[in-house]
Amino acid sequence: MASPEILNKAAASFAFETSSLEFISNSTNEVFRFTKKDEAYILRITEKSHAYVGKIKAEVDWVNYLVQNGVRASLPIRTIDNQLTALYQEDGKCFIATAFHMASGRFFDKNEPKLWGTSIFKQWGEIMGKMHMLSKSYIPLETKRDEWRNSEIKNPHLQGKYYALLEKLKSLETRIMNLPREGDSYGLIHNDFHPYNFHIDGELITVFDFDDSIYGWFSLDIAIAATHAVWWGAPMDDRQSKNEFTTKFLNEFLEGYFKYNHLSDYWIKQIPFFMDYRNICSFFWWLSSWDGDESKFSDFQRSAIAYAVKLIETGQSFDGCEIVLD
């Protein structure tokens, strides 16, 4: 946790009053809202080693480039000494501060037509297509964002049914590692462009939270969007409805995407596979460091694990992934 002293330093760096700070969340980073001259901003505090500073600089430089070239994204703001990051040391720990304009609007609502549906899906696709197009021309800083790599999960508690999940993850990652990494299909991607990482304001979408950005496959980026659209936006929970929704979503999303970027038929056909991968990855957000105590799982988690194992044992993909794209 960032101490009051760290927050005071951040306020001085970005020239705002600490009294305006409002805590938002604390997961990978500590996130706050603040105001300056009646405008809202986001402050992000990241506790990492000093060696990680370059990675964050690479992230905000990328976002800055996107905004300069017409992508609606939360623009980073500079410190009083014209830097995009500020670095503080305290008790042997390193804290990296970044700040962004707060995106106007609100999150999606699948029950509100203006906040979920064809126009949103197409614009979502347009933004991602433009981002992938710009990825091809972007010249990165000396320190680049990481490349995609396979997971390194060595939890000894993953036995029995949990081992089935791990084996599924490993088998998909083995296939992914053998995929070509070509300029027309691979580049700097958001890697987490889901519905809670953009705001909708009227007919406009603004994307944010680029801290998971990596060099990866454009099809993977699309698949991540589609997977989360199914999780949170499908009208019904049965498998058939989710598959039908996925087909509709991707047809409309890709219509927008193709306005700015082209993918070959081969890479379009990989999207359901990458969706399957994103689904299996979701279990390891909480299984990778699990201590073996099943009582710590929620009813939802127990049910999700049982269903996933059943799908794996019967050779089926996850809901929404059982589609064929032409």
Side-chain angles (χ1 to χ4, degrees), residues 217-269:
W217 292 269
F218 297 151
S219 294
L220 171 60
D221 220 14
I222 296 169
I224 289 169
T227 301
H228 288 270
V230 174
W231 289 356
W232 301 323
M236 300 179 68
D237 289 333
D238 63 284
R239 187 175 177 86
Q240 180 178 344
S241 294
K242 288 183 177 180
N243 285 327
E244 290 173 352
F245 173 79
T246 304
T247 301
K248 168 183 165 58
F249 171 83
L250 281 170
N251 283 338
E252 294 171 351
F253 183 97
L254 290 172
E255 182 180 336
Y257 182 92
F258 288 141
K259 289 183 179 179
Y260 293 97
N261 197 52
H262 174 74
L263 284 179
S264 69
D265 290 344
Y266 172 81
W267 289 109
I268 294 299
K269 290 176 180 177

Short mmCIF file of all heavy atoms in Angstrom, two decimals, residues 217-269:
data_model
loop_
_atom_site.label_atom_id
_atom_site.label_comp_id
_atom_site.label_asym_id
_atom_site.label_seq_id
_atom_site.Cartn_x
_atom_site.Cartn_y
_atom_site.Cartn_z
N TRP A 217 -0.51 -11.95 -30.49
CA TRP A 217 -1.25 -12.12 -31.74
C TRP A 217 -2.50 -11.25 -31.73
O TRP A 217 -3.22 -11.16 -30.74
CB TRP A 217 -1.63 -13.59 -31.92
CG TRP A 217 -0.44 -14.46 -32.15
CD1 TRP A 217 0.13 -14.80 -33.34
CD2 TRP A 217 0.37 -15.07 -31.12
NE1 TRP A 217 1.24 -15.59 -33.13
CE2 TRP A 217 1.41 -15.77 -31.79
CE3 TRP A 217 0.33 -15.10 -29.73
CZ2 TRP A 217 2.38 -16.49 -31.10
CZ3 TRP A 217 1.30 -15.81 -29.03
CH2 TRP A 217 2.31 -16.49 -29.73
N PHE A 218 -2.75 -10.60 -32.87
CA PHE A 218 -3.95 -9.78 -32.98
C PHE A 218 -5.21 -10.63 -32.75
O PHE A 218 -6.18 -10.17 -32.16
CB PHE A 218 -4.00 -9.12 -34.37
CG PHE A 218 -2.87 -8.17 -34.63
CD1 PHE A 218 -2.41 -7.94 -35.92
CD2 PHE A 218 -2.24 -7.48 -33.59
CE1 PHE A 218 -1.36 -7.06 -36.17
CE2 PHE A 218 -1.20 -6.59 -33.83
CZ PHE A 218 -0.75 -6.39 -35.13
N SER A 219 -5.18 -11.88 -33.19
CA SER A 219 -6.32 -12.78 -32.98
C SER A 219 -6.57 -13.01 -31.49
O SER A 219 -7.72 -13.17 -31.07
CB SER A 219 -6.09 -14.13 -33.67
OG SER A 219 -6.04 -13.99 -35.06
N LEU A 220 -5.51 -13.07 -30.71
CA LEU A 220 -5.65 -13.23 -29.26
C LEU A 220 -6.36 -12.03 -28.66
O LEU A 220 -7.25 -12.17 -27.81
CB LEU A 220 -4.27 -13.41 -28.62
CG LEU A 220 -4.20 -13.38 -27.09
CD1 LEU A 220 -5.06 -14.48 -26.49
CD2 LEU A 220 -2.75 -13.48 -26.61
N ASP A 221 -5.99 -10.82 -29.09
CA ASP A 221 -6.62 -9.60 -28.58
C ASP A 221 -8.12 -9.61 -28.88
O ASP A 221 -8.95 -9.25 -28.03
CB ASP A 221 -5.95 -8.39 -29.23
CG ASP A 221 -5.75 -7.22 -28.27
OD1 ASP A 221 -5.87 -7.42 -27.04
OD2 ASP A 221 -5.44 -6.12 -28.74
N ILE A 222 -8.47 -10.01 -30.10
CA ILE A 222 -9.88 -10.10 -30.48
C ILE A 222 -10.59 -11.15 -29.63
O ILE A 222 -11.71 -10.94 -29.15
CB ILE A 222 -10.01 -10.45 -31.98
CG1 ILE A 222 -9.43 -9.32 -32.84
CG2 ILE A 222 -11.47 -10.72 -32.36
CD1 ILE A 222 -9.27 -9.68 -34.31
N ALA A 223 -9.94 -12.28 -29.43
CA ALA A 223 -10.54 -13.38 -28.66
C ALA A 223 -10.80 -12.98 -27.22
O ALA A 223 -11.81 -13.38 -26.63
CB ALA A 223 -9.62 -14.60 -28.72
N ILE A 224 -9.90 -12.20 -26.64
CA ILE A 224 -10.09 -11.74 -25.27
C ILE A 224 -11.35 -10.87 -25.18
O ILE A 224 -12.17 -11.02 -24.27
CB ILE A 224 -8.85 -10.98 -24.78
CG1 ILE A 224 -7.69 -11.96 -24.57
CG2 ILE A 224 -9.14 -10.21 -23.49
CD1 ILE A 224 -6.34 -11.30 -24.33
N ALA A 225 -11.51 -9.97 -26.14
CA ALA A 225 -12.72 -9.13 -26.16
C ALA A 225 -13.96 -10.01 -26.28
O ALA A 225 -14.95 -9.81 -25.55
CB ALA A 225 -12.65 -8.15 -27.33
N ALA A 226 -13.93 -10.98 -27.19
CA ALA A 226 -15.09 -11.83 -27.42
C ALA A 226 -15.40 -12.70 -26.20
O ALA A 226 -16.57 -12.87 -25.83
CB ALA A 226 -14.85 -12.72 -28.64
N THR A 227 -14.36 -13.23 -25.56
CA THR A 227 -14.57 -14.09 -24.39
C THR A 227 -15.29 -13.33 -23.29
O THR A 227 -16.26 -13.82 -22.70
CB THR A 227 -13.22 -14.61 -23.87
OG1 THR A 227 -12.57 -15.35 -24.91
CG2 THR A 227 -13.41 -15.52 -22.67
N HIS A 228 -14.83 -12.12 -23.00
CA HIS A 228 -15.45 -11.34 -21.93
C HIS A 228 -16.83 -10.84 -22.33
O HIS A 228 -17.72 -10.72 -21.48
CB HIS A 228 -14.54 -10.17 -21.55
CG HIS A 228 -13.32 -10.61 -20.79
ND1 HIS A 228 -13.28 -10.69 -19.43
CD2 HIS A 228 -12.09 -11.00 -21.22
CE1 HIS A 228 -12.08 -11.10 -19.03
NE2 HIS A 228 -11.34 -11.29 -20.12
N ALA A 229 -17.02 -10.57 -23.62
CA ALA A 229 -18.36 -10.18 -24.08
C ALA A 229 -19.35 -11.31 -23.81
O ALA A 229 -20.50 -11.06 -23.41
CB ALA A 229 -18.32 -9.85 -25.57
N VAL A 230 -18.92 -12.54 -24.00
CA VAL A 230 -19.79 -13.70 -23.72
C VAL A 230 -20.02 -13.86 -22.23
O VAL A 230 -21.15 -14.06 -21.78
CB VAL A 230 -19.17 -14.99 -24.31
CG1 VAL A 230 -19.99 -16.22 -23.89
CG2 VAL A 230 -19.11 -14.91 -25.83
N TRP A 231 -18.96 -13.76 -21.44
CA TRP A 231 -19.10 -13.93 -19.99
C TRP A 231 -20.13 -12.97 -19.40
O TRP A 231 -20.99 -13.36 -18.61
CB TRP A 231 -17.77 -13.66 -19.28
CG TRP A 231 -16.71 -14.68 -19.47
CD1 TRP A 231 -16.80 -15.88 -20.13
CD2 TRP A 231 -15.37 -14.60 -18.97
NE1 TRP A 231 -15.59 -16.53 -20.09
CE2 TRP A 231 -14.70 -15.77 -19.38
CE3 TRP A 231 -14.67 -13.65 -18.23
CZ2 TRP A 231 -13.36 -16.01 -19.06
CZ3 TRP A 231 -13.35 -13.88 -17.92
CH2 TRP A 231 -12.70 -15.06 -18.33
N TRP A 232 -20.02 -11.71 -19.79
CA TRP A 232 -20.80 -10.67 -19.11
C TRP A 232 -21.96 -10.12 -19.94
O TRP A 232 -22.81 -9.43 -19.38
CB TRP A 232 -19.87 -9.51 -18.72
CG TRP A 232 -18.75 -9.92 -17.82
CD1 TRP A 232 -18.81 -10.84 -16.81
CD2 TRP A 232 -17.41 -9.42 -17.83
NE1 TRP A 232 -17.57 -10.95 -16.20
CE2 TRP A 232 -16.69 -10.09 -16.79
CE3 TRP A 232 -16.74 -8.48 -18.59
CZ2 TRP A 232 -15.35 -9.84 -16.51
CZ3 TRP A 232 -15.39 -8.23 -18.31
CH2 TRP A 232 -14.70 -8.90 -17.29
N GLY A 233 -21.98 -10.45 -21.23
CA GLY A 233 -22.98 -9.80 -22.08
C GLY A 233 -23.91 -10.70 -22.84
O GLY A 233 -24.81 -10.20 -23.53
N ALA A 234 -23.72 -12.03 -22.74
CA ALA A 234 -24.64 -12.93 -23.44
C ALA A 234 -26.02 -12.84 -22.81
O ALA A 234 -26.15 -12.75 -21.59
CB ALA A 234 -24.12 -14.37 -23.39
N PRO A 235 -27.07 -12.88 -23.62
CA PRO A 235 -28.42 -12.68 -23.07
C PRO A 235 -28.90 -13.82 -22.19
O PRO A 235 -29.72 -13.62 -21.30
CB PRO A 235 -29.29 -12.55 -24.33
CG PRO A 235 -28.52 -13.25 -25.41
CD PRO A 235 -27.08 -13.01 -25.08
N MET A 236 -28.39 -15.05 -22.43
CA MET A 236 -28.79 -16.22 -21.65
C MET A 236 -27.56 -17.05 -21.32
O MET A 236 -26.51 -16.89 -21.93
CB MET A 236 -29.83 -17.04 -22.41
CG MET A 236 -31.10 -16.27 -22.73
SD MET A 236 -32.32 -17.23 -23.66
CE MET A 236 -32.81 -18.43 -22.41
N ASP A 237 -27.71 -17.98 -20.35
CA ASP A 237 -26.56 -18.73 -19.85
C ASP A 237 -26.36 -20.09 -20.48
O ASP A 237 -25.35 -20.74 -20.19
CB ASP A 237 -26.68 -18.91 -18.33
CG ASP A 237 -26.46 -17.61 -17.58
OD1 ASP A 237 -25.75 -16.73 -18.11
OD2 ASP A 237 -26.99 -17.48 -16.47
N ASP A 238 -27.28 -20.55 -21.31
CA ASP A 238 -27.11 -21.89 -21.88
C ASP A 238 -26.08 -21.86 -23.00
O ASP A 238 -25.82 -20.83 -23.63
CB ASP A 238 -28.45 -22.43 -22.39
CG ASP A 238 -29.02 -21.60 -23.52
OD1 ASP A 238 -29.56 -20.51 -23.24
OD2 ASP A 238 -28.89 -22.02 -24.69
N ARG A 239 -25.49 -23.02 -23.27
CA ARG A 239 -24.39 -23.14 -24.21
C ARG A 239 -24.78 -22.69 -25.62
O ARG A 239 -24.03 -21.97 -26.28
CB ARG A 239 -23.91 -24.59 -24.23
CG ARG A 239 -22.65 -24.83 -25.05
CD ARG A 239 -22.20 -26.28 -24.89
NE ARG A 239 -21.06 -26.60 -25.71
CZ ARG A 239 -19.79 -26.40 -25.38
NH1 ARG A 239 -19.50 -25.85 -24.21
NH2 ARG A 239 -18.80 -26.73 -26.18
N GLN A 240 -25.95 -23.09 -26.08
CA GLN A 240 -26.37 -22.73 -27.44
C GLN A 240 -26.51 -21.21 -27.57
O GLN A 240 -26.06 -20.62 -28.56
CB GLN A 240 -27.69 -23.40 -27.79
CG GLN A 240 -28.17 -23.05 -29.21
CD GLN A 240 -29.48 -23.76 -29.57
OE1 GLN A 240 -29.88 -24.72 -28.92
NE2 GLN A 240 -30.14 -23.28 -30.61
N SER A 241 -27.12 -20.57 -26.58
CA SER A 241 -27.30 -19.12 -26.63
C SER A 241 -25.95 -18.40 -26.65
O SER A 241 -25.78 -17.41 -27.38
CB SER A 241 -28.12 -18.64 -25.44
OG SER A 241 -29.44 -19.13 -25.50
N LYS A 242 -25.00 -18.91 -25.88
CA LYS A 242 -23.69 -18.28 -25.85
C LYS A 242 -22.97 -18.42 -27.18
O LYS A 242 -22.30 -17.49 -27.64
CB LYS A 242 -22.85 -18.86 -24.71
CG LYS A 242 -23.33 -18.40 -23.33
CD LYS A 242 -22.43 -18.94 -22.23
CE LYS A 242 -22.87 -18.43 -20.87
NZ LYS A 242 -22.02 -18.93 -19.77
N ASN A 243 -23.09 -19.59 -27.81
CA ASN A 243 -22.47 -19.77 -29.12
C ASN A 243 -23.12 -18.86 -30.17
O ASN A 243 -22.44 -18.28 -31.02
CB ASN A 243 -22.56 -21.22 -29.55
CG ASN A 243 -21.58 -22.12 -28.81
OD1 ASN A 243 -20.48 -21.69 -28.45
ND2 ASN A 243 -21.96 -23.35 -28.55
N GLU A 244 -24.44 -18.72 -30.11
CA GLU A 244 -25.14 -17.84 -31.05
C GLU A 244 -24.74 -16.39 -30.81
O GLU A 244 -24.53 -15.62 -31.76
CB GLU A 244 -26.65 -18.01 -30.89
CG GLU A 244 -27.16 -19.36 -31.39
CD GLU A 244 -28.63 -19.58 -31.08
OE1 GLU A 244 -29.22 -18.75 -30.35
OE2 GLU A 244 -29.19 -20.60 -31.54
N PHE A 245 -24.62 -16.00 -29.55
CA PHE A 245 -24.21 -14.63 -29.24
C PHE A 245 -22.79 -14.37 -29.73
O PHE A 245 -22.49 -13.29 -30.27
CB PHE A 245 -24.29 -14.37 -27.73
CG PHE A 245 -23.74 -13.03 -27.33
CD1 PHE A 245 -24.46 -11.87 -27.50
CD2 PHE A 245 -22.44 -12.93 -26.81
CE1 PHE A 245 -23.94 -10.63 -27.14
CE2 PHE A 245 -21.91 -11.70 -26.45
CZ PHE A 245 -22.66 -10.55 -26.62
N THR A 246 -21.90 -15.35 -29.55
CA THR A 246 -20.52 -15.17 -29.99
C THR A 246 -20.45 -14.91 -31.49
O THR A 246 -19.70 -14.03 -31.95
CB THR A 246 -19.68 -16.42 -29.66
OG1 THR A 246 -19.76 -16.68 -28.26
CG2 THR A 246 -18.22 -16.23 -30.05
N THR A 247 -21.21 -15.68 -32.25
CA THR A 247 -21.22 -15.50 -33.71
C THR A 247 -21.70 -14.10 -34.07
O THR A 247 -21.08 -13.41 -34.91
CB THR A 247 -22.11 -16.56 -34.37
OG1 THR A 247 -21.61 -17.86 -34.04
CG2 THR A 247 -22.12 -16.39 -35.88
N LYS A 248 -22.77 -13.66 -33.44
CA LYS A 248 -23.30 -12.32 -33.71
C LYS A 248 -22.28 -11.26 -33.30
O LYS A 248 -21.99 -10.33 -34.08
CB LYS A 248 -24.60 -12.11 -32.92
CG LYS A 248 -25.10 -10.65 -32.88
CD LYS A 248 -26.35 -10.53 -32.03
CE LYS A 248 -26.65 -9.08 -31.66
NZ LYS A 248 -26.83 -8.20 -32.82
N PHE A 249 -21.73 -11.40 -32.11
CA PHE A 249 -20.76 -10.42 -31.62
C PHE A 249 -19.57 -10.29 -32.57
O PHE A 249 -19.19 -9.19 -32.97
CB PHE A 249 -20.28 -10.80 -30.22
CG PHE A 249 -19.12 -9.95 -29.74
CD1 PHE A 249 -19.34 -8.71 -29.18
CD2 PHE A 249 -17.80 -10.38 -29.89
CE1 PHE A 249 -18.29 -7.90 -28.76
CE2 PHE A 249 -16.74 -9.59 -29.48
CZ PHE A 249 -16.99 -8.35 -28.92
N LEU A 250 -18.98 -11.43 -32.93
CA LEU A 250 -17.77 -11.38 -33.75
C LEU A 250 -18.06 -10.86 -35.16
O LEU A 250 -17.23 -10.15 -35.74
CB LEU A 250 -17.12 -12.75 -33.80
CG LEU A 250 -16.30 -13.10 -32.55
CD1 LEU A 250 -15.87 -14.56 -32.56
CD2 LEU A 250 -15.08 -12.19 -32.43
N ASN A 251 -19.20 -11.21 -35.72
CA ASN A 251 -19.54 -10.67 -37.05
C ASN A 251 -19.58 -9.15 -37.02
O ASN A 251 -19.07 -8.48 -37.93
CB ASN A 251 -20.88 -11.24 -37.52
CG ASN A 251 -20.76 -12.66 -38.01
OD1 ASN A 251 -19.68 -13.12 -38.39
ND2 ASN A 251 -21.87 -13.38 -38.01
N GLU A 252 -20.18 -8.59 -35.97
CA GLU A 252 -20.31 -7.14 -35.88
C GLU A 252 -18.99 -6.49 -35.44
O GLU A 252 -18.60 -5.44 -35.97
CB GLU A 252 -21.45 -6.79 -34.91
CG GLU A 252 -22.80 -7.25 -35.48
CD GLU A 252 -23.96 -7.16 -34.50
OE1 GLU A 252 -23.71 -6.89 -33.31
OE2 GLU A 252 -25.10 -7.38 -34.93
N PHE A 253 -18.30 -7.10 -34.52
CA PHE A 253 -17.00 -6.59 -34.07
C PHE A 253 -16.01 -6.56 -35.24
O PHE A 253 -15.33 -5.55 -35.46
CB PHE A 253 -16.47 -7.50 -32.96
CG PHE A 253 -15.17 -7.07 -32.34
CD1 PHE A 253 -15.14 -6.34 -31.18
CD2 PHE A 253 -13.95 -7.43 -32.93
CE1 PHE A 253 -13.93 -5.95 -30.59
CE2 PHE A 253 -12.75 -7.05 -32.36
CZ PHE A 253 -12.74 -6.31 -31.19
N LEU A 254 -15.96 -7.64 -36.00
CA LEU A 254 -15.00 -7.72 -37.11
C LEU A 254 -15.37 -6.79 -38.26
O LEU A 254 -14.48 -6.32 -38.99
CB LEU A 254 -14.89 -9.16 -37.61
CG LEU A 254 -14.18 -10.12 -36.64
CD1 LEU A 254 -14.30 -11.56 -37.12
CD2 LEU A 254 -12.71 -9.73 -36.46
N GLU A 255 -16.65 -6.49 -38.42
CA GLU A 255 -17.05 -5.51 -39.42
C GLU A 255 -16.39 -4.17 -39.12
O GLU A 255 -15.89 -3.48 -40.03
CB GLU A 255 -18.57 -5.35 -39.46
CG GLU A 255 -19.05 -4.38 -40.51
CD GLU A 255 -20.57 -4.24 -40.55
OE1 GLU A 255 -21.27 -5.17 -40.10
OE2 GLU A 255 -21.05 -3.18 -41.01
N GLY A 256 -16.37 -3.79 -37.84
CA GLY A 256 -15.68 -2.57 -37.44
C GLY A 256 -14.18 -2.71 -37.54
O GLY A 256 -13.48 -1.82 -38.04
N TYR A 257 -13.66 -3.84 -37.11
CA TYR A 257 -12.21 -4.08 -37.10
C TYR A 257 -11.62 -3.96 -38.50
O TYR A 257 -10.56 -3.34 -38.69
CB TYR A 257 -11.96 -5.48 -36.53
CG TYR A 257 -10.49 -5.86 -36.42
CD1 TYR A 257 -9.79 -5.62 -35.24
CD2 TYR A 257 -9.82 -6.47 -37.47
CE1 TYR A 257 -8.45 -5.97 -35.12
CE2 TYR A 257 -8.48 -6.82 -37.37
CZ TYR A 257 -7.80 -6.57 -36.18
OH TYR A 257 -6.48 -6.91 -36.07
N PHE A 258 -12.30 -4.54 -39.49
CA PHE A 258 -11.75 -4.58 -40.85
C PHE A 258 -11.73 -3.21 -41.53
O PHE A 258 -11.15 -3.07 -42.61
CB PHE A 258 -12.53 -5.57 -41.71
CG PHE A 258 -12.25 -7.01 -41.35
CD1 PHE A 258 -13.27 -7.95 -41.36
CD2 PHE A 258 -10.97 -7.43 -41.02
CE1 PHE A 258 -13.02 -9.27 -41.04
CE2 PHE A 258 -10.71 -8.76 -40.70
CZ PHE A 258 -11.73 -9.68 -40.71
N LYS A 259 -12.33 -2.20 -40.90
CA LYS A 259 -12.22 -0.85 -41.46
C LYS A 259 -10.78 -0.35 -41.37
O LYS A 259 -10.38 0.53 -42.15
CB LYS A 259 -13.15 0.10 -40.71
CG LYS A 259 -14.63 -0.12 -40.98
CD LYS A 259 -15.46 0.92 -40.25
CE LYS A 259 -16.95 0.74 -40.52
NZ LYS A 259 -17.76 1.75 -39.79
N TYR A 260 -10.02 -0.90 -40.42
CA TYR A 260 -8.66 -0.40 -40.19
C TYR A 260 -7.57 -1.45 -40.33
O TYR A 260 -6.42 -1.10 -40.62
CB TYR A 260 -8.57 0.23 -38.78
CG TYR A 260 -9.39 1.48 -38.66
CD1 TYR A 260 -10.67 1.44 -38.11
CD2 TYR A 260 -8.91 2.69 -39.12
CE1 TYR A 260 -11.44 2.60 -38.01
CE2 TYR A 260 -9.66 3.85 -39.03
CZ TYR A 260 -10.93 3.80 -38.47
OH TYR A 260 -11.68 4.93 -38.39
N ASN A 261 -7.90 -2.69 -40.10
CA ASN A 261 -6.84 -3.71 -40.15
C ASN A 261 -7.37 -4.99 -40.78
O ASN A 261 -8.53 -5.36 -40.60
CB ASN A 261 -6.32 -4.01 -38.74
CG ASN A 261 -4.98 -4.72 -38.76
OD1 ASN A 261 -4.03 -4.26 -39.39
ND2 ASN A 261 -4.89 -5.84 -38.07
N HIS A 262 -6.49 -5.66 -41.52
CA HIS A 262 -6.86 -6.90 -42.19
C HIS A 262 -6.16 -8.08 -41.53
O HIS A 262 -4.99 -7.99 -41.14
CB HIS A 262 -6.46 -6.85 -43.67
CG HIS A 262 -6.67 -8.16 -44.37
ND1 HIS A 262 -7.93 -8.62 -44.72
CD2 HIS A 262 -5.79 -9.12 -44.76
CE1 HIS A 262 -7.81 -9.80 -45.30
NE2 HIS A 262 -6.52 -10.13 -45.34
N LEU A 263 -6.88 -9.16 -41.37
CA LEU A 263 -6.31 -10.42 -40.93
C LEU A 263 -6.67 -11.50 -41.95
O LEU A 263 -7.78 -11.51 -42.48
CB LEU A 263 -6.85 -10.82 -39.56
CG LEU A 263 -6.30 -10.10 -38.32
CD1 LEU A 263 -6.99 -10.62 -37.07
CD2 LEU A 263 -4.80 -10.27 -38.20
N SER A 264 -5.75 -12.39 -42.20
CA SER A 264 -6.01 -13.48 -43.15
C SER A 264 -7.04 -14.44 -42.57
O SER A 264 -7.31 -14.47 -41.37
CB SER A 264 -4.72 -14.24 -43.46
OG SER A 264 -4.30 -14.97 -42.31
N ASP A 265 -7.61 -15.26 -43.44
CA ASP A 265 -8.59 -16.25 -43.01
C ASP A 265 -8.01 -17.18 -41.95
O ASP A 265 -8.71 -17.59 -41.02
CB ASP A 265 -9.07 -17.08 -44.21
CG ASP A 265 -9.92 -16.27 -45.17
OD1 ASP A 265 -10.39 -15.19 -44.77
OD2 ASP A 265 -10.11 -16.72 -46.31
N TYR A 266 -6.74 -17.50 -42.09
CA TYR A 266 -6.10 -18.39 -41.12
C TYR A 266 -6.20 -17.82 -39.71
O TYR A 266 -6.56 -18.53 -38.75
CB TYR A 266 -4.62 -18.60 -41.48
CG TYR A 266 -3.86 -19.35 -40.42
CD1 TYR A 266 -3.91 -20.74 -40.35
CD2 TYR A 266 -3.08 -18.67 -39.47
CE1 TYR A 266 -3.22 -21.43 -39.35
CE2 TYR A 266 -2.38 -19.35 -38.49
CZ TYR A 266 -2.45 -20.73 -38.43
OH TYR A 266 -1.78 -21.41 -37.45
N TRP A 267 -5.91 -16.53 -39.56
CA TRP A 267 -5.91 -15.92 -38.22
C TRP A 267 -7.31 -15.68 -37.71
O TRP A 267 -7.55 -15.74 -36.50
CB TRP A 267 -5.08 -14.65 -38.23
CG TRP A 267 -3.62 -14.96 -38.35
CD1 TRP A 267 -2.81 -14.75 -39.42
CD2 TRP A 267 -2.81 -15.62 -37.38
NE1 TRP A 267 -1.55 -15.21 -39.18
CE2 TRP A 267 -1.50 -15.76 -37.93
CE3 TRP A 267 -3.04 -16.10 -36.08
CZ2 TRP A 267 -0.46 -16.35 -37.23
CZ3 TRP A 267 -1.99 -16.69 -35.38
CH2 TRP A 267 -0.72 -16.81 -35.96
N ILE A 268 -8.25 -15.43 -38.60
CA ILE A 268 -9.65 -15.31 -38.17
C ILE A 268 -10.13 -16.63 -37.58
O ILE A 268 -10.81 -16.68 -36.55
CB ILE A 268 -10.55 -14.89 -39.35
CG1 ILE A 268 -10.19 -13.47 -39.82
CG2 ILE A 268 -12.03 -14.95 -38.96
CD1 ILE A 268 -10.38 -12.41 -38.76
N LYS A 269 -9.73 -17.72 -38.20
CA LYS A 269 -10.15 -19.04 -37.73
C LYS A 269 -9.51 -19.42 -36.40
O LYS A 269 -9.97 -20.37 -35.74
CB LYS A 269 -9.84 -20.09 -38.80
CG LYS A 269 -10.72 -19.96 -40.04
CD LYS A 269 -10.34 -20.95 -41.12
CE LYS A 269 -11.24 -20.79 -42.34
NZ LYS A 269 -10.85 -21.70 -43.45
#
